[in-house]
Every structure is written in structure tokens, then in C-alpha cells.
Amino acid sequence: MACGDKFKSGNCVADILRDIADAQEDIVSDCTTSCEQSIADLLGEVSPTTGNDTVPVILYCKGDCKPFKGYGVPADDLWNAFGSFYFRVKSVDEDNCAVLELLREPGDDNDPKSPAEQKTSDLENTGVCITVDVDCFCHITCLPAISVFD
């Protein structure tokens, strides 16, 4: 699978995010580690289906090439804003606007300063989504496919 196999927008990050969003939509309505490998694992193309429904991603901003950290506030706890470096792709439109859901470990109330400080052993969906301009990113790292829905 080449970079953004199904889409040819000219923006590699946008095309990979679209591939991930499409693959995840097939699973849930609403190297050995790479984006292509994670997508293949999610779809069961390499091994039997594992029940995974998400390819967590880290995005890196153009210019400073630092990991992007998104912030959000849960609808049921307006006093508990939090940040995360890990996202689940919900959608990417034709203008390269992406809706990303923030992922975090259950009960993790800290505000990580770097991806290395944020735990990833048991990432969960949060229901908190942000909209980003994918053209602002120059790099994407995909983690192995996981399940965030029970």
C-alpha cells in the first residue's frame, strides 16, 4: 500500500488520514509498525481480524516539526479541559479539514508535555473532537491498531 493509496490529493498526510478514516468506518459505524501496517492489521489483511477499531496517530506541525497537541473539554465536565497527542481520525473532507477525536488513558487527568509523557497502554475514546487543517502537518506517526470501543 503506497502513501494514500485510495486518494491522490497531493497531500500525503491528508491521504493517509483519509485511508485510516475509511478503514475505521468499515470497522465501527459512527516495517512492522507503519501506517500501512496498522491499516492492514485493522482490516485483517495480514492476519485474522483482531477486533481492533482504531489506528491512533500522532501528527507533527509544519515548520517546527513538533508533535501536535490538541485540547478539548468533555461535554459532561466543562471544568476538565485536557490535552492529548494521540488521535482517532473521524473524517477528512475534500478541503483537507479533519475531525479528530482525542484519545487518552482512563483516569489520566494530567496535561502531558510530550508524547513520551502520555501513557498509551490503554488508550480510550473520549468523545471530544477537534477540527484541524491537515495542510498544517508535515509528518504522521501511526501506532499499532487498537480497540477503543467495547
Side-chain angles (χ1 to χ4, degrees):
M1 178 182 281
C3 181
D5 242 5
K6 290 170 47 179
F7 302 96
K8 303 292 181 202
S9 73
N11 182 315
C12 182
V13 173
D15 292 345
I16 288 287
L17 290 174
R18 284 188 184 94
D19 280 347
I20 292 169
D22 281 357
Q24 290 174 163
E25 190 172 288
D26 290 342
I27 304 296
V28 174
S29 297
D30 174 269
C31 355
T32 57
T33 302
S34 70
C35 293
E36 290 81 8
Q37 181 65 45
S38 295
I39 293 169
D41 289 346
L42 184 75
L43 296 175
E45 293 175 355
V46 177
S47 58
T49 305
T50 60
N52 293 333
D53 53 42
T54 299
V55 175
V57 298
I58 304 171
L59 298 167
Y60 296 81
C61 298
K62 282 185 179 176
D64 63 10
C65 209
K66 291 183 179 179
F68 172 71
K69 184 177 181 183
Y71 292 90
V73 178
D76 61 349
D77 189 2
L78 298 178
W79 299 103
N80 190 19
F82 69 96
S84 181
F85 291 99
Y86 300 99
F87 306 97
R88 180 179 198 275
V89 182
K90 301 296 273 185
S91 64
V92 183
D93 71 14
E94 65 279 351
D95 295 322
N96 290 344
C97 289
V99 175
L100 307 174
E101 181 177 7
L102 280 70
L103 301 175
R104 69 177 179 173
E105 198 161 68
D108 186 8
D109 293 330
N110 69 353
D111 191 24
K113 305 291 185 254
S114 74
E117 293 177 348
Q118 186 173 357
K119 298 175 184 173
T120 61
S121 60
D122 198 19
L123 288 173
E124 285 187 340
N125 63 315
T126 63
V128 176
C129 295
I130 60 174
T131 303
V132 299
D133 181 348
V134 176
D135 292 329
C136 295
F137 302 109
C138 65
H139 175 81
I140 182 171
T141 298
C142 299
L143 280 64
I146 61 171
S147 177
V148 298
F149 296 99
D150 293 330

